[in-house]
């Protein structure tokens, strides 16, 4: 459902001037996702009935909020009974808002889920209360007052904003494939957290939430704390956070520069300090839709973000965890402004892996996407260093690297660019093609190499023959140098052997004389 929101968005930005910097903020698929998720929550609430569950326990809506022994409320321990408040259908319309606020206060009680047998009745009561709050926000038909907003954000903050317990693996140096094989850590408090996230999502998305008023409570501090939660190890939580941040960015235009800067700082901390963060992929997904909505011409701030944050994200070892999302963001920039292709390609070459073959295959895949959006003028600026690197990939003994590099010729646009600039490119890659065709151990690589050689041979036979002649001359020179080196080494070995023999002959009489004198 959530993936519908973050699917590949339209390539061309909307011509509307009001919201051009944020594409898809009114995407109907988002509303569909919210409605379907609400149905899931309602269906799950049916399992709450039982002897310990009391939806109506006799307390009137005007009584004080009952509480339970040992839960946390705003970080403080409180005492007293914790009982359910009446439903919204059981009170007059004039009292519903007051009841809504009381239920929000009831939801501020945080229970300990580390012990699954503790406070079962109270946890069920809170879950039912949260579901009622979600339903109330969804069906609200009047603007939320400032008091309601204050209490709603207070309840959300108390439940969601918490520090994460570091896992033992954080002290280890792990490769990306180790992280992929690890089971994700699921938060035991998710039965309550999920509904609080749903409440926040619906509250932000609700047309009854006035952005001008709500920005006082959904402020910079709130946004920063929300971004901190992206480091959660629970993938379910990160999915909700992604959708909520998407909605906040779309609704609160005043917060957009701050959100981008805060995400930028998270990336800097990840790239240059820790290389540990669980939510990079989700943050990049949000950025993908943001970049898609950037107005043209691109601001200098956006170009700096590409150069200083997105391109260096290719450096960490855990790149496979978020490469798909990163590649999409990079390609979006090139499609927005084709002049950035040279910058992006040179950035990829700067961080090109040397000893990590699987990472090299990913770089080649991303390179193909970038080249597909590259125009001839930008291609010519970077083609020399680019095809020096591609030549090294063609010569790789790892068959997947060589194979992926050869697949670039299957792309019509890239092949056309290469044909137009063949007089520069072919001399660079010809030695690699020739050696692959003769000696590469993998049959598929040999076959693909022969096909690429045939393309050049058919397009420009004269250039091909010239490159072949130059290659043969270079090979002859290399062989000649090798022969000379072998001759020099042979001569040195002979000299060393003769000197060793003469030294032994000189040493023997001396040893005999020494033995005679000693006797």
């Amino acid at each position: 459902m959530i993936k519908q929101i973050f699917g590949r968005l339209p390539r061309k930005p909307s011509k509307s001037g009001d919201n051009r910097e944020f594409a898809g903020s009114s995407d109907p698929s988002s509303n569909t996702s919210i409605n379907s998720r609400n149905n899931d929550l309602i269906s799950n609430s049916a399992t709450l009935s039982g002897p310990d569950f009391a939806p109506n326990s006799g307390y009137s809506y005007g009584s004080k909020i009952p509480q339970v022994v040992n839960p946390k409320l705003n970080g403080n321990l409180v005492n007293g009974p914790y009982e359910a408040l009446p439903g919204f259908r059981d009170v007059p319309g004039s009292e519903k808002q007051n009841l809504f606020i009381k239920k929000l206060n009831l939801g501020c009680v945080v229970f300990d889920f580390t012990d699954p047998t503790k406070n079962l009745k109270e946890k069920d009561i809170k879950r039912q209360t949260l579901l009622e709050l979600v339903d109330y926000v969804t069906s609200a038909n009047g603007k939320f007052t400032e008091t309601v907003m204050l209490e709603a954000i207070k309840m959300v903050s108390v439940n969601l904003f918490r520090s994460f317990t570091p896992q033992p693996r954080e002290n280890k140096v792990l490769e990306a494939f180790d992280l992929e094989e690890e089971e994700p850590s699921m938060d035991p408090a998710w039965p309550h957290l999920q509904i609080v996230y749903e409440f926040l999502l619906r509250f932000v998305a609700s047309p009854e939430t006035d952005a001008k008023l709500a920005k006082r409570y959904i402020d910079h501090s709130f946004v920063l704390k929300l971004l901190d939660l992206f480091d959660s190890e629970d993938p379910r939580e990160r999915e909700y956070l992604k959708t909520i941040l998407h909605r906040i960015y779309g609704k609160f235009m005043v917060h957009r520069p701050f959100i981008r800067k805060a995400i930028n700082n998270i990336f800097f901390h990840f790239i240059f300090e820790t290389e540990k963060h669980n939510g990079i992929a989700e943050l990049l997904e949000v950025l993908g839709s943001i970049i898609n909505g950037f107005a043209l011409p691109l601001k200098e701030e956006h170009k700096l973000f590409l150069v200083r944050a997105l391109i260096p994200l290719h450096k960490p070892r855990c790149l496979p965890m978020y490469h798909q999302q990163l590649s999409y963001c990079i390609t979006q920039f090139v499609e927005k402004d084709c002049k950035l292709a040279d910058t992006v390609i040179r950035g990829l070459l700067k961080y090109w892996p040397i000893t990590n073959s699987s990472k090299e295959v990913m770089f080649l895949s991303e390179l193909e996407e970038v080249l597909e959006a590259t125009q001839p003028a930008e291609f010519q600026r970077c083609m020399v260093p680019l095809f020096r690197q591609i030549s090294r990939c063609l010569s790789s003994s790892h068959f997947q690297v060589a194979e992926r590099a050869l697949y670039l010729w299957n792309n019509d646009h890239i092949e056309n660019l290469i044909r137009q600039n063949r007089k520069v490119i072919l001399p660079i890659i010809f030695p690699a093609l020739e050696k692959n065709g003769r000696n590469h151990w993998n049959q598929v690589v040999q076959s693909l190499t022969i096909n690429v050689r045939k393309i050049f041979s058919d397009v420009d036979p004269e250039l091909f023959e010239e490159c072949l002649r130059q290659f043969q001359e270079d090979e002859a020179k290399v062989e000649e140098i090798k022969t000379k080196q072998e001759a020099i080494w042979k001569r040195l070995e002979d000299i060393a052997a003769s000197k060793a023999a003469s030294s032994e002959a000189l040493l023997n009489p001396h040893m005999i004389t020494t033995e005679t004198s000693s006797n």
Side-chain angles (χ1 to χ4, degrees):
M1 295 175 286
I2 294 177
K3 288 181 180 177
Q4 294 174 358
I5 302 172
F6 294 97
R8 193 169 181 86
L9 297 171
R11 296 287 185 177
K12 295 182 180 179
S14 170
K15 292 183 180 179
S16 170
D18 296 335
N19 260 342
R20 286 189 70 188
E21 198 176 315
F22 183 70
S25 60
S26 60
D27 185 358
S29 65
S30 300
N31 297 326
T32 305
S33 173
I34 291 174
N35 291 334
S36 60
R37 193 187 293 114
N38 188 48
N39 293 334
D40 293 340
L41 289 171
I42 292 171
S43 63
N44 290 340
S45 67
T47 62
L48 297 177
S49 59
D52 293 332
F53 178 64
N56 293 295
S57 53
Y59 282 86
S60 69
Y61 61 87
S63 63
K64 288 187 178 181
I65 299 172
Q67 292 159 350
V68 70
V69 179
N70 284 336
K72 273 192 173 182
L73 177 58
N74 291 337
N76 300 317
L77 293 177
V78 293
N79 295 317
Y82 186 91
E83 299 291 347
L85 291 169
F88 287 106
R89 296 178 181 178
D90 301 330
V91 298
S94 59
E95 295 294 340
K96 285 187 177 181
Q97 184 169 296
N98 290 334
L99 179 60
F100 179 63
I101 293 173
K102 292 179 186 298
K103 286 181 180 287
L104 286 171
N105 289 327
L106 194 67
C108 287
V109 181
V110 180
F111 294 96
D112 179 13
F113 277 82
T114 55
D115 184 357
T117 63
K118 189 177 179 182
N119 302 125
L120 293 178
K121 176 183 175 182
E122 291 80 6
K123 288 174 182 175
D124 282 347
I125 291 173
K126 179 179 177 179
R127 178 173 169 79
Q128 181 62 31
T129 301
L130 292 172
L131 287 167
E132 291 173 1
L133 290 172
V134 170
D135 186 58
Y136 182 85
V137 170
T138 304
S139 59
N141 54 8
K143 293 291 182 183
F144 294 125
T145 65
E146 192 166 354
T147 304
V148 167
M149 291 182 183
L150 172 64
E151 295 299 330
I153 297 303
K154 172 186 166 187
M155 187 275 288
V156 167
S157 300
V158 168
N159 281 276
L160 298 186
F161 299 153
R162 64 213 190 276
S163 58
F164 296 115
T165 304
Q167 296 297 315
R169 72 166 178 81
E170 291 197 5
N171 299 321
K172 302 175 184 177
V173 178
L174 294 178
E175 295 294 340
F177 57 82
D178 294 326
L179 294 173
E180 287 175 346
E181 289 176 0
E182 277 201 349
E183 287 293 327
S185 175
M186 301 299 186
D187 196 315
W190 185 247
H192 286 181
L193 289 175
Q194 179 188 12
I195 312 174
V196 176
Y197 273 118
E198 190 68 32
F199 173 85
L200 176 58
L201 175 59
R202 291 174 181 276
F203 180 76
V204 171
S206 173
E208 309 304 336
T209 301
D210 184 359
K212 292 181 180 178
L213 194 61
K215 70 181 181 181
R216 302 177 189 174
Y217 307 101
I218 301 178
D219 55 7
H220 288 181
S221 174
F222 182 89
V223 169
L224 280 178
K225 291 175 182 175
L226 201 69
L227 286 170
D228 287 341
L229 295 175
F230 272 87
D231 201 20
S232 168
E233 292 197 6
D234 193 329
R236 302 168 299 181
E237 183 167 15
R238 298 198 303 271
E239 281 294 312
Y240 263 105
L241 286 164
K242 179 178 67 177
T243 310
I244 290 167
L245 183 63
H246 183 271
R247 285 290 189 164
I248 290 175
Y249 190 92
K251 187 158 191 165
F252 298 90
M253 294 183 68
V254 67
H255 290 338
R256 290 181 181 182
F258 179 80
I259 291 173
R260 292 195 303 267
K261 185 177 180 181
I263 294 175
N264 200 15
N265 291 336
I266 291 173
F267 288 165
F268 285 159
H269 185 67
F270 169 70
I271 297 164
F272 301 110
E273 294 184 33
T274 64
E275 289 197 11
K276 294 170 188 158
H277 197 285
N278 295 303
I280 299 298
E282 287 79 11
L283 288 171
L284 285 169
E285 279 194 58
V286 176
L287 280 171
S289 62
I290 292 174
I291 295 166
N292 185 273
F294 281 164
L296 295 175
L298 289 175
K299 297 178 183 177
E300 192 63 26
E301 167 206 345
H302 303 328
K303 295 178 183 178
L304 287 175
F305 175 69
L306 168 68
V307 173
R308 294 179 178 176
L310 289 185
I311 292 176
L313 274 172
H314 291 86
K315 177 186 173 185
R317 285 171 293 182
C318 56
L319 174 66
M321 304 295 289
Y322 56 83
H323 180 258
Q324 183 180 354
Q325 294 83 356
L326 176 60
S327 179
Y328 176 75
C329 291
I330 295 283
T331 308
Q332 284 288 300
F333 267 105
V334 178
E335 290 177 352
K336 286 280 180 184
D337 186 353
C338 62
K339 292 180 180 178
L340 292 172
D342 177 51
T343 302
V344 168
I345 290 172
R346 290 181 184 273
L348 287 173
L349 295 176
K350 178 181 178 181
Y351 293 103
W352 200 277
I354 297 173
T355 59
N356 191 331
S357 298
S358 60
K359 198 172 175 182
E360 210 168 352
V361 171
M362 285 190 290
F363 270 59
L364 286 165
S365 298
E366 182 177 351
L367 179 63
E368 180 175 355
E369 292 187 17
V370 173
L371 286 173
E372 199 166 357
T374 303
Q375 298 304 310
E378 282 67 41
F379 180 78
Q380 289 172 359
R381 290 191 191 126
C382 60
M383 62 183 178
V384 172
L386 171 61
F387 277 87
R388 282 176 183 158
Q389 180 59 59
I390 290 176
S391 177
R392 287 190 284 271
C393 294
L394 292 172
S395 303
S396 174
S397 58
H398 195 294
F399 80 97
Q400 288 179 330
V401 175
E403 187 178 63
R404 190 64 188 83
L406 289 161
Y407 279 147
L408 292 174
W409 274 264
N410 288 347
N411 187 296
D412 293 337
H413 178 70
I414 297 173
E415 185 186 346
N416 190 41
L417 290 173
I418 294 172
R419 286 189 182 196
Q420 293 172 14
N421 300 277
R422 60 185 179 274
K423 293 187 183 300
V424 176
I425 294 172
L426 184 56
I428 296 173
I429 64 171
F430 191 86
L433 291 175
E434 197 66 21
K435 290 174 183 176
N436 269 4
R438 295 178 184 177
N439 306 319
H440 202 283
W441 65 271
N442 185 272
Q443 192 62 43
V444 176
V445 172
Q446 281 193 5
S447 176
L448 290 170
T449 301
I450 291 169
N451 292 340
V452 172
R453 288 175 79 256
K454 189 174 186 305
I455 290 172
F456 284 110
S457 176
D458 293 344
V459 171
D460 196 335
E462 293 180 4
L463 176 62
F464 186 85
E465 289 300 324
E466 182 184 342
C467 290
L468 180 58
R469 184 170 58 255
Q470 185 63 47
F471 173 77
Q472 290 171 345
E473 289 176 5
D474 292 341
E475 284 283 284
K477 288 178 183 178
V478 169
E479 192 63 33
E480 183 181 348
I481 291 171
K482 184 179 178 182
T483 304
K484 287 181 180 180
Q485 288 175 341
E486 289 177 353
I488 291 170
W489 278 110
K490 184 70 170 64
R491 190 163 63 251
L492 288 173
E493 288 173 359
D494 292 342
I495 293 170
S498 62
K499 283 190 175 183
S502 61
S503 297
E504 187 177 346
L506 290 172
L507 283 172
N508 286 340
H510 176 70
M511 291 173 64
I512 294 169
T513 306
T514 305
E515 290 175 2
T516 306
S517 60
S518 63
N519 291 333

